[in-house]
Amino acid sequence: MLLLGIDLGTSSIKVSVIDPQTQKCIASTQYPETESEVIALQPGWAEQSPEMWWEHVQQAIIICNSKKLYDPGEIRAIGIAYQMHGLVLLDKNQRVLRNSIIWCDSRAVEIGDRAFEAIGTDKVLSEMLNSPGNFTASKLAWVKENEPGIYKDIDKMMLPGDFIAMRFSGEITTSISSLSEGIFWNFKENSLSEDVTGYYGFNKDLIPDIQPVFSDHGKLRAEIASKLALAPGIPVTYKAGDQPNNALSLNVLQPGEVAANAGTSGVIYGVSDELTYDQQSRINTFAHVNHTNSRKRLGVLLCINGTGILNRWVKNTFTSGTTYNEMNAAAAGVPVGSNGIRVIPFGNGAERMLNNKNIGAHFHKLDLNVHRQADIFRAVQEGIAFSFRYGLDIMRENGMNPKVIRAGRTNLFSSPVFTEAFVNACGVPVELYENDGSVGAAIGAGIGLGELTLDNAFSKVKPLGIIEPELEREYDDVYREWKGVLESHLRK
């Protein structure tokens, strides 16, 4: 038997097929080859088409099947990881009512701030563990306030992964983990938040049926199975946001364990067994994939919107056909400190760790007679690494002090320059693994099916190696200067 994992990212869809007995990936595909469109109708807005996601998911599966490395008919379960905090709205006929308002959209910040004050900051933090901010509940409130014609036609609201599962099965479910990332869940009462739904005036019928993360979320419809060469009736047995799923893929499940990811956005994700929260909601706490009311497992999440997206912007803007590997090689030829350039990478919406300020991206100390492409390439990767250090210090203020951080060797962690900068700026060793989000989703599917358990799912997964800090003092000098530049923008 085989397992299919789907990772619904902002830039593309990745699918993987694994053998649960060997825990090895048999085949993977990423689609499309060019990065998916993000629609920005106004500054600070970010939307994508859910139907585009579904089309890309199907194409990715068809292409993966075409490699002839496995028999698609032997796939027994499907797992889904997805970009967090997005809002998808369906009518009673399961038709999409508008584009999804995705994770990096900032339009609902003020709505969330008003709710935070009106309900009571201490009450919200102690019960929901986060400010409503611009999370999913506040985005739904924005639709209610600004698009009443659409709002009145809503039958169900959901997260992106709920939508993809629904397209496979026709059934609509969600989970505590998903609802917590939307700021719908009251951890003290272990129920939907009466305060949030009441303040925003939401009918609770808009919320899908709540299921465990690892469970039967619906069975594959025959017409979809035929199109994708899959067996009809196989279940979707796992759905989780991309960051809890990334932690799962790295076997980060117990208190004190920490994962990191540096894709379009950047994340450090640590597991706690306490209902912990940051007083300023600069970092966030959600239900982890293995959370239960009796055995608490919370994901403490630092999210930085403007990370890999800046590296991509530089590639597209300053090069013509240069690959990321070529950019990394050029950056490696530049000394630590990028010959004086300092880059502030925040240009992808309001940043939670900056108290929901949107300060934009900035390049400092460019010398037109000295600096070349390679200097910019390195400065961007160093600036991203420094943003992680800034956020990790906030996590340390809140009691999260990792001794080692696990990461997949993918996205920016495939760059030796970035990995070196991250390790030395943060002062924490990084243990690298081959797994990625789609492999994690496939493993999650195996756990939901009962073929694997949380205790044995990673028994054969070994790290590729560990990168130790060796240049902390050198990077610390550059970081202090970078932090001074950042704080000058925060004071404006």
Side-chain angles (χ1 to χ4, degrees):
M1 64 168 292
L2 303 173
L3 303 166
L4 173 65
I6 299 163
D7 186 6
L8 168 58
T10 310
S11 300
S12 65
I13 307 295
K14 188 169 184 181
V15 302
S16 291
V17 175
I18 72 161
D19 179 340
Q21 299 305 313
T22 64
Q23 299 174 6
K24 290 188 178 298
C25 179
I26 297 171
S28 289
T29 294
Q30 191 161 312
Y31 185 86
E33 293 182 5
T34 55
E35 289 158 339
S36 299
E37 178 185 16
V38 174
I39 302 163
L41 300 176
Q42 293 189 34
W45 289 22
E47 302 182 357
Q48 286 188 318
S49 164
E51 297 295 1
M52 175 192 74
W53 296 336
W54 175 233
E55 180 59 31
H56 288 178
V57 166
Q58 294 176 90
Q59 288 301 315
I61 294 170
I62 290 168
I63 293 168
C64 201
N65 290 346
S66 72
K67 295 182 178 183
K68 306 294 185 183
L69 297 173
Y70 58 89
D71 178 359
E74 293 182 355
I75 292 171
R76 290 291 175 265
I78 300 169
I80 301 169
Y82 60 88
Q83 48 173 289
M84 296 172 72
H85 315 303
L87 174 69
V88 182
L89 303 175
L90 297 184
D91 69 11
K92 63 183 179 181
N93 296 311
Q94 297 188 346
R95 291 180 300 210
V96 176
L97 289 169
R98 70 174 327 282
N99 283 333
S100 172
I101 304 175
I102 66 171
W103 59 276
C104 55
D105 187 287
S106 302
R107 75 185 73 182
V109 169
E110 291 184 2
I111 289 173
D113 288 346
R114 290 199 298 269
F116 195 30
E117 293 297 327
I119 298 170
T121 57
D122 290 342
K123 183 176 178 61
V124 170
L125 290 175
S126 65
E127 295 180 357
M128 271 69 76
L129 311 183
N130 310 280
S131 161
N134 62 328
F135 293 114
T136 315
S138 300
K139 291 168 181 170
L140 179 59
W142 184 92
V143 173
K144 184 173 185 279
E145 185 175 311
N146 293 276
E147 298 175 343
I150 290 174
Y151 185 83
K152 70 178 178 60
D153 289 336
I154 299 171
D155 181 61
K156 296 296 178 188
M157 62 71 54
M158 60 190 69
L159 281 292
D162 300 331
F163 170 77
I164 296 301
M166 183 273 295
R167 280 287 184 254
F168 277 120
S169 69
E171 298 182 35
I172 304 175
T173 70
T174 192
S175 69
I176 291 172
S177 183
S178 294
L179 292 172
S180 74
E181 72 176 73
I183 321 302
F184 288 100
W185 195 253
N186 184 319
F187 283 92
K188 282 195 172 178
E189 300 295 332
N190 196 35
S191 65
L192 280 173
S193 169
E194 297 284 350
D195 290 308
V196 170
T197 56
Y199 174 80
Y200 283 141
F202 297 154
N203 187 325
K204 292 181 185 177
D205 290 342
L206 298 181
I207 306 297
D209 290 339
I210 302 170
Q211 299 267 86
V213 169
F214 302 103
S215 64
D216 188 336
H217 293 280
K219 293 179 170 56
L220 185 62
R221 293 181 292 168
E223 63 270 28
I224 303 300
S226 176
K227 182 176 180 180
L228 301 178
L230 301 174
I234 63 172
V236 176
T237 55
Y238 169 78
K239 293 185 298 183
D242 51 8
Q243 300 312 324
N245 177 75
N246 181 62
L248 170 72
S249 74
L250 295 166
N251 198 22
V252 170
L253 295 165
Q254 301 307 325
E257 295 176 340
V258 179
N261 181 40
T264 302
S265 62
V267 167
I268 298 178
Y269 185 101
V271 180
S272 173
D273 56 1
E274 299 179 1
L275 296 181
T276 183
Y277 55 88
D278 176 58
Q279 287 287 348
Q280 300 179 51
S281 211
R282 296 166 298 174
I283 58 175
N284 301 104
T285 304
F286 308 120
H288 196 23
V289 294
N290 56 340
H291 173 78
T292 66
N293 193 43
S294 60
R295 194 165 182 260
K296 294 177 174 57
R297 293 294 181 267
L298 290 308
V300 181
L301 184 149
L302 161 74
C303 181
I304 308 163
N305 293 355
T307 54
I309 192 171
L310 176 60
N311 204 40
R312 181 182 75 189
W313 180 84
V314 167
K315 177 181 181 291
N316 293 341
T317 304
F318 290 98
T319 78
S320 179
T322 302
T323 67
Y324 286 117
N325 285 339
E326 289 168 341
M327 290 170 63
N328 297 339
V334 176
V336 174
S338 307
N339 290 317
I341 302 176
R342 302 290 174 260
V343 174
I344 304 299
F346 311 116
N348 190 30
E351 293 285 357
R352 278 176 252 160
M353 75 172 185
L354 304 180
N355 300 108
N356 275 328
K357 291 184 178 179
N358 186 353
I359 66 171
H362 302 268
F363 289 71
H364 287 260
K365 293 190 176 179
L366 277 172
D367 188 322
L368 304 181
N369 296 309
V370 172
H371 294 130
R372 301 291 181 265
Q373 273 189 340
D375 301 300
I376 293 173
F377 296 161
R378 183 172 190 112
V380 164
Q381 295 195 26
E382 288 184 346
I384 294 168
F386 295 149
S387 70
F388 274 98
R389 159 68 186 277
Y390 187 86
L392 182 58
D393 285 347
I394 296 172
M395 297 184 81
R396 286 167 170 148
E397 289 175 26
N398 285 272
M400 186 67 66
N401 292 287
K403 299 296 184 286
V404 66
I405 294 174
R406 298 175 192 165
R409 190 176 60 182
T410 186
N411 300 319
L412 279 167
F413 278 108
S414 65
S415 164
V417 168
F418 172 78
T419 305
E420 175 193 282
F422 179 96
V423 165
N424 286 283
C426 294
V428 182
V430 167
E431 201 170 60
L432 290 174
Y433 289 80
E434 201 64 69
N435 281 6
D436 65 12
S438 60
V439 172
I443 290 171
I447 297 169
L449 191 64
E451 185 67 21
L452 297 170
T453 69
L454 288 167
D455 292 330
N456 70 17
F458 303 93
S459 60
K460 298 175 184 176
V461 176
K462 306 300 179 186
L464 299 170
I466 189 164
I467 314 299
E468 298 278 358
E470 296 177 344
L471 301 168
E472 286 184 80
R473 182 173 296 178
E474 197 169 349
Y475 275 94
D476 200 49
D477 290 341
V478 182
Y479 172 72
R480 283 199 298 271
E481 183 182 338
W482 178 92
K483 184 180 178 183
V485 173
L486 170 62
E487 290 177 342
S488 72
H489 285 286
L490 294 175
R491 288 192 293 268
K492 292 178 181 177

